[in-house]
Amino acid sequence: MKSISFTVPGPPVPKGRPRLARGHVYTPARTREYEATVAALALIARQKAHAKSFTGRVGLHLDIYADRVE
């Protein structure tokens, strides 16, 4: 079984809800930027592992570490 792993630096960013402006729905910039960062890091990790597209069963394991905010 082949696996890839990568670390996303910085605090996790929650998915922003879609916004409506001038009759168009858009994703907030902060969400778009974070999603693009995660996608780029995943692509780099996949390339380093020489992994092509996954087929069959795929598993996902997340370890999320964040400072507690009160």
Side-chain angles (χ1 to χ4, degrees):
M1 174 172 67
K2 185 167 274 222
S3 67
I4 63 171
S5 94
F6 60 96
T7 300
V8 180
V13 175
K15 175 93 172 169
R17 66 180 177 84
R19 304 291 178 165
L20 179 65
R22 297 187 184 127
H24 293 87
V25 177
Y26 70 95
T27 301
R30 183 173 177 222
T31 296
R32 280 194 325 266
E33 291 165 4
Y34 192 74
E35 288 175 346
T37 297
V38 172
L41 292 169
L43 177 62
I44 291 166
R46 195 179 89 190
Q47 290 171 339
K48 285 182 180 178
H50 302 290
K52 296 188 179 179
S53 296
F54 293 102
T55 58
R57 295 176 60 166
V58 176
L60 174 67
H61 175 88
L62 298 173
D63 289 318
I64 300 174
Y65 301 95
D67 292 332
R68 186 175 185 161
V69 178
E70 293 185 26

